[in-house]
Amino acid sequence: MSRNLLIVLSGPSGVGKGTIIEKLLKRGDYALSVSCTTREAREGEVNGVSYHFVRHNEFEKLIEENGFLEYSNHFGNYYGTPRAFVEEQLGLRDVILEIEVDGALNVKTAHPEALLIMILPPDENELRARLKKRGSESERKIEERVKRMEYELSKRDKYDYAVINDDVDRAVVEIENIVKENKNKPGKEQI
Ligand code: 5GP
């Protein structure tokens, strides 16, 4: 019997995770977890769709209530995966989390059966250069983001798989094949 999987996707900023996830959702029956965050909504982001935007004290209350499967503090803001949604959906279908590496590794420690996939750029130097050029942010912010990219990439060996986003459709098919292969592996029950 195949089992439902907890699929954790990570990768540096600008690598194209969003487009890959959009395509996966169109092609298959996945639930995408909507995270809670204390950061401000950016233009165009919709509460409940992009994130659940919550206040600092609300987030801390949820931590106390064990409301998160994992959470972490990233660039001064909290981000967390609502536990109830994931547990409920896993009974029905595969669930995708799009989270950064620290949270992903915490998920793996608590739930070794989770499938960790890191999305990599075809050319790291090109992505580094692109992050430096992007937007109208201060030098410090840009430097922070490039450092973060190096940190995320340094954790790739801890992931179960690394998928290079050289062509988005190809990368999507590769992820689908990884999922298929793992669904049929005998393993421990999910959470
Ligand atoms: P952004 O603020 O650009 O939307 O996201 C910043 C980082 O937070 C991204 O790397 C994203 O993957 C990560 N992130 C989003 N939601 C969660 C979450 O629930 N938990 C963790 N640990 N990271 C998250």
Side-chain angles (χ1 to χ4, degrees):
M1 210 191 73
S2 70
R3 61 201 175 113
N4 294 330
L5 293 178
L6 182 57
I7 304 161
V8 182
L9 295 179
S10 310
S13 164
V15 81
K17 287 166 289 183
T19 315
I20 288 179
I21 290 172
E22 238 172 68
K23 292 197 178 229
L24 283 169
L25 294 177
K26 277 200 187 129
R27 290 163 54 104
D29 183 26
Y30 302 99
L32 176 65
S33 162
V34 177
S35 299
C36 292
T37 184
T38 57
R39 85 150 160 73
E40 294 286 317
R42 297 188 189 122
E43 213 181 303
E45 286 185 328
V46 177
N47 193 16
V49 178
S50 321
Y51 283 103
H52 302 288
F53 295 99
V54 301
R55 290 173 198 279
H56 214 82
N57 58 346
E58 276 179 76
F59 197 103
E60 289 183 336
K61 188 160 171 273
L62 285 165
I63 297 175
E64 269 172 37
E65 292 168 352
N66 197 25
F68 294 115
L69 189 66
E70 62 73 40
Y71 68 93
S72 73
N73 199 301
H74 188 70
F75 291 145
N77 286 303
Y78 279 128
Y79 293 81
T81 303
R83 180 188 296 281
F85 175 84
V86 174
E87 289 181 351
E88 173 199 301
Q89 288 296 314
L90 268 178
L92 305 169
R93 51 183 66 83
D94 300 325
V95 177
I96 298 177
L97 311 184
E98 191 260 282
I99 63 178
E100 51 69 59
V101 290
D102 295 331
L105 296 176
N106 286 338
V107 169
K108 189 71 177 174
T109 305
H111 305 289
E113 72 284 1
L115 190 61
L116 263 56
I117 303 176
M118 183 171 287
I119 315 289
L120 296 174
D123 180 342
E124 283 172 30
N125 289 328
E126 192 269 331
L127 180 60
R128 202 171 285 121
R130 196 143 48 84
L131 285 183
K132 284 188 177 170
K133 266 193 238 149
R134 196 161 96 172
S136 52
E137 286 168 329
S138 65
E139 272 300 306
R140 194 176 58 83
K141 277 229 154 125
I142 291 170
E143 216 28 64
E144 256 179 11
R145 211 167 40 210
V146 172
K147 264 210 192 111
R148 184 70 199 178
M149 166 190 165
E150 311 285 358
Y151 176 71
E152 300 240 333
L153 293 177
S154 76
K155 301 288 179 189
R156 76 184 85 182
D157 292 348
K158 299 196 185 296
Y159 276 61
D160 299 303
Y161 296 89
V163 171
I164 298 175
N165 188 15
D166 47 359
D167 172 282
V168 68
D169 292 312
R170 194 209 59 76
V172 166
V173 171
E174 187 178 342
I175 293 171
E176 287 174 340
N177 288 337
I178 292 171
V179 169
K180 237 182 265 167
E181 190 187 313
N182 280 274
K183 276 179 89 68
N184 296 319
K185 268 190 196 164
K188 280 178 259 149
E189 284 306 303
Q190 289 284 343
I191 349 181

